[in-house]
Amino acid sequence: MASDNQSSLLRQRRFLPYFITQFFGAFNDNIFKNVLLLFVAFAGAGVLPISSNLFINLAAGLFILPFFLFSASAGVLADKYEKSWFIRKVKLVEVGIMCLGAIGFITESYGILLLLLFLMGTQSAFFGPVKYALLPQQLKSDELVPGNALVETGTFLAILIGTLVAGVIASAENAKYIAAISVVAFALFGYLSSRSIPVAPASAPELKFRWQPIKQTKNTIAIAKSDRVIFQAIMAISWFWFLGAAYLTQFPNFTKIYLNGSESAVSFLLALFSIGIAIGSLACDKLSGHRIEVGIVPLGSFGITVFGWLMATSVPDNIPALETFGEFIQQRELWPLFAYLLMLGVSGGIFIVPLYALMQSRAKVKERAQVVAALNIYNSLFMVGSAVLGIVCLSVLELTIPQLFILLAVGNFLIAVYLFLQVPIFVVRFLVWILTHTMYRVTHMNLHHLPKTGGALIVCNHVSYMDALLLSAVCPRLIRFVMEEDYANLPPLRRFLKRAGVIPISATNRRSIRNAFGEVEKALNEGHIVCIFPEGQLTSDGEINDFMRGMDIIIKRSPVPVIPVALKGLWGSYFSRYKGSACKGLPSRFWSKLEIEAGEPVPSEQATTAIMRDKVKELRGNWK
């Protein structure tokens, strides 16, 4: 279970201290920023060296600026040095900055606090690359998605709680003293937890570091662009932060002008959005079965579009004056909007987690932190872009905030379509996984025998027309199936099946057979997994028929491991020949129990048709 995997990580030293450290980092950032902005907003005349509006805009810019200036250098250092040591140094710097910040709060030295905000941004810029580059070193491959799910959950909850706590601190008596103590205390908590992070060896200790920010930035971006998949993941993640920044920036005015809400109502909307992202992040791990499932990304993006549009168009026309927070949340006309905002966050969590895991797993070990640094640079650019879009749309074009939200939904729809066109096979495979696991109670046995890399041949019993769909849905890698030519060339499916790597074959056409064997040989030599159903046809009685000799020819031409797989429980289903022919009449079985079991790989020199049939038969046992 996903939840078991997540709770297990939170009990382990290789993850928990890191999780606490990154949580307190985001938490303290938001307390410091928001307390400072609240103090500025309510500062008396003559206290600030500049106008409050200019101060607030400067604060936002100064916190983002270090991500442009220092992310590339931070990525090089995070790859060069042992990561737990590097994190401790960064957190120790945070303690020093917060001590100066405490003095600034007590003395109300807002100019100094503005400078310290820049330093906090610098500290965050140095922490970002090592934060995400550490995960693949400390977690197993099947823990990368749940680990990222927990990190994203912790980050957004830290942002939410830090913002709410900042409001409490700023409104308390002796607020400046409480703020001073709080930021130092939370920085110390983060540093102390970082001391328990296990050693994570340097990825590229041979790297030469020189203080050349512009050159390093160009090199970092070039590294990210060198792998198309990584760069697309970075662009998609940055788009998410573009949307998030746009929504969060407009929430205060949106709540005040269109929903008649107060400051508490703004916090409530922020909470809904953040909690939604946390739920979506955790749900993504469960839906994807702990694996990096890129097929879920376009679905999350479509969810962002749908719920973003619904939220923007569900603003009631006439809302009475709402004097209290209780009246705000009890206003029934607003409940659909609350639900859409929550689901917008859920869709965002589903969207973002696989992208982070994909980026981390695909990046070269010696360049992983630099790839994350490139992500931080693009994130910053996109967030600035979202601010520019807000200014242009609301001030120049004079759109309303709901109209801006509709524009964001339309823009995201185009992104969702693009993402779907990039990975249609994986989207369909994920949908098939949901469909089959809804129709059937599917359990998996020993699927760890399916290799993570390299070529392999799967041989499986053939019970129903659902066999290929079930197998493709449970294997993290794309399986290339050998399929009867008549089915593979059906006009509605032909183009999609070709892109999915299906290899057509006709037992009555010599040329088709030669082409199919050539395609199988090429696929295996290129390191793909190929699946054949050696019986050549669906079973007519539930028993395993003799295997055809085509398997022997394949193994002779491409000596790869052969993996026996047994499908159990499909005989008698609507898609089997239990009634004489498949898909006859109406379905009579629902949510049947099925099992898919893989056996140990058999070396090619030992894998004959007779032996492999016995292996599959033994795996299946008496369960048809």
Side-chain angles (χ1 to χ4, degrees):
M1 295 291 290
S3 57
D4 294 338
N5 206 313
Q6 291 156 1
S7 61
S8 174
L9 285 177
L10 288 174
R11 294 193 297 268
Q12 297 186 39
R13 182 171 175 261
R14 60 194 173 97
F15 183 79
L16 181 59
Y18 157 85
F19 177 81
I20 295 172
T21 300
Q22 67 88 27
F23 178 89
F24 274 113
F27 179 67
N28 210 25
D29 274 359
N30 280 274
I31 285 183
F32 186 88
K33 284 190 298 183
N34 286 290
V35 166
L36 175 57
L37 295 178
L38 287 170
F39 281 176
V40 167
F42 294 97
V47 174
L48 297 176
I50 53 179
S51 71
S52 61
N53 284 334
L54 179 58
F55 190 101
I56 289 170
N57 288 323
L58 267 177
L62 285 173
F63 189 80
I64 292 177
L65 182 60
F67 289 92
F68 294 111
L69 299 178
F70 307 127
S71 285
S73 300
V76 174
L77 292 172
D79 277 331
K80 179 176 177 60
Y81 293 108
E82 192 273 311
K83 291 180 177 58
S84 66
W85 172 87
F86 188 73
I87 288 174
R88 286 193 290 274
K89 297 302 179 186
V90 172
K91 300 309 288 186
L92 202 55
V93 169
E94 181 186 347
V95 173
I97 294 171
M98 288 299 100
C99 287
L100 294 175
I103 296 171
F105 279 136
I106 293 171
T107 60
E108 299 183 15
S109 304
Y110 290 103
I112 293 174
L113 289 171
L114 204 56
L115 172 63
L116 292 176
L117 196 59
F118 174 80
L119 295 179
M120 277 298 295
T122 302
Q123 185 267 340
S124 296
F126 275 88
F127 182 61
V130 73
K131 167 184 172 180
Y132 284 107
L134 178 74
L135 278 178
Q137 285 187 244
Q138 303 289 48
L139 302 182
K140 301 172 186 175
S141 58
D142 62 347
E143 294 174 332
L144 204 51
V145 171
N148 275 281
L150 287 169
V151 169
E152 295 311 305
T153 298
T155 298
F156 279 92
L157 290 181
I159 292 171
L160 170 62
I161 298 170
T163 303
L164 298 178
V165 170
V168 174
I169 291 173
S171 60
E173 290 186 25
N174 299 318
K176 60 184 182 181
Y177 296 104
I178 297 173
I181 294 170
S182 297
V183 294
V184 173
F186 292 131
L188 282 171
F189 289 155
Y191 171 70
L192 291 174
S193 63
S194 73
R195 294 186 62 83
S196 297
I197 297 175
V199 171
S203 303
E206 72 282 359
L207 279 176
K208 302 294 183 184
F209 178 79
R210 294 182 180 86
W211 187 251
Q212 300 172 320
I214 296 175
K215 183 178 179 180
Q216 286 169 342
T217 298
K218 290 180 179 178
N219 184 57
T220 297
I221 291 174
I223 288 172
K225 287 183 174 179
S226 65
D227 187 307
R228 183 168 178 266
V229 174
I230 288 177
F231 189 66
Q232 286 179 327
I234 287 174
M235 291 295 100
I237 294 170
S238 296
W239 171 254
F240 169 80
W241 284 102
F242 176 96
L243 290 175
Y247 280 117
L248 295 177
T249 300
Q250 303 306 327
F251 274 171
N253 284 337
F254 175 65
T255 308
K256 178 182 178 181
I257 298 170
Y258 298 95
L259 307 182
N260 290 343
S262 62
E263 291 85 351
S264 299
V266 176
S267 298
F268 177 68
L269 294 187
L270 174 63
L272 283 177
F273 187 64
S274 300
I275 291 170
I277 290 176
I279 293 171
S281 298
L282 298 177
C284 175
D285 177 37
K286 184 175 179 65
L287 289 171
S288 61
H290 313 321
R291 70 191 191 195
I292 300 172
E293 183 56 80
V294 294
I296 201 174
V297 173
L299 299 179
S301 187
F302 279 115
I304 292 172
T305 292
V306 170
F307 294 112
W309 177 282
L310 290 173
M311 183 188 73
T313 56
S314 64
V315 179
D317 293 330
N318 296 305
I319 302 177
L322 305 172
E323 296 183 2
T324 66
F325 175 65
E327 291 178 355
F328 179 77
I329 62 173
Q330 290 173 26
Q331 188 69 30
R332 289 180 177 270
E333 291 181 335
L334 293 177
W335 288 1
L337 186 146
F338 297 159
Y340 299 144
L341 178 56
L342 179 69
M343 291 307 300
L344 176 64
V346 170
S347 301
I350 290 173
F351 175 80
I352 199 73
V353 169
L355 291 170
Y356 272 111
L358 175 65
M359 178 189 68
Q360 293 161 0
S361 65
R362 192 173 175 93
K364 296 176 183 176
V365 172
K366 294 189 174 184
E367 297 175 346
R368 191 175 282 140
Q370 294 172 81
V371 167
V372 180
L375 169 66
N376 287 345
I377 294 170
Y378 280 107
N379 279 353
S380 304
L381 285 170
F382 274 65
M383 290 170 74
V384 170
S386 97
V388 172
L389 177 71
I391 293 169
V392 170
C393 289
L394 301 178
S395 300
V396 179
L397 301 179
E398 297 185 348
L399 299 179
T400 65
I401 294 176
Q403 287 172 336
L404 173 61
F405 288 170
I406 289 174
L407 181 64
L408 293 175
V410 171
N412 189 73
F413 175 75
L414 300 177
I415 298 295
V417 171
Y418 172 78
L419 291 172
F420 175 79
L421 293 176
Q422 294 301 303
V423 290
I425 311 306
F426 293 95
V427 175
V428 171
R429 188 182 72 171
F430 178 71
L431 292 173
V432 166
W433 185 90
I434 293 177
L435 177 65
T436 54
H437 285 64
T438 302
M439 293 171 58
Y440 305 108
R441 289 175 291 162
V442 185
T443 56
H444 310 145
M445 292 286 290
N446 301 319
L447 295 187
H448 63 276
H449 290 313
L450 301 177
K452 294 180 180 179
T453 58
L457 182 68
I458 292 175
V459 294
C460 183
N461 57 318
H462 204 8
V463 190
S464 77
Y465 287 123
M466 294 293 292
D467 295 352
L469 296 177
L470 284 163
L471 288 173
S472 66
V474 300
C475 181
R477 296 174 61 189
L478 186 66
I479 300 176
R480 299 194 61 181
F481 290 91
V482 178
M483 182 181 290
E484 172 58 43
E485 198 168 71
D486 290 342
Y487 299 124
N489 289 331
L490 285 172
L493 300 176
R494 181 177 180 179
R495 188 173 179 181
F496 173 78
L497 292 176
K498 184 177 181 180
R499 189 164 180 179
V502 164
I503 300 170
I505 189 170
S506 173
T508 60
N509 186 318
R510 284 180 173 271
R511 184 177 179 182
S512 174
I513 293 171
R514 284 197 303 271
N515 289 341
F517 279 126
E519 281 294 311
V520 170
E521 181 181 6
K522 182 182 177 183
L524 291 173
N525 291 340
E526 289 177 351
H528 295 283
I529 295 180
V530 175
C531 177
I532 61 172
F533 298 100
E535 297 168 85
Q537 60 183 356
L538 297 184
T539 177
S540 59
D541 57 4
E543 297 299 334
I544 299 177
N545 299 319
D546 290 338
F547 282 10
M548 301 174 70
R549 59 182 294 270
M551 193 201 81
D552 291 331
I553 298 173
I554 291 171
I555 295 304
K556 186 175 181 181
R557 296 174 65 166
S558 301
V560 295
V562 184
I563 303 162
V565 174
L567 297 171
K568 313 174 193 180
L570 276 167
W571 180 246
S573 75
Y574 181 68
F575 301 98
S576 72
R577 290 180 173 170
Y578 180 73
K579 295 180 180 179
S581 62
C583 305
K584 184 178 181 180
L586 296 174
S588 57
R589 290 172 50 183
F590 297 96
W591 214 44
S592 304
K593 187 177 180 181
L594 308 180
E595 187 170 282
I596 303 173
E597 182 173 4
E600 293 185 6
V602 178
S604 56
E605 59 272 15
Q606 300 175 18
T608 64
T609 52
I611 288 174
M612 295 314 300
R613 180 180 181 275
D614 290 341
K615 294 277 187 184
V616 173
K617 191 173 182 180
E618 182 182 352
L619 283 175
R620 193 207 65 175
N622 296 322
W623 187 4
K624 298 181 183 180

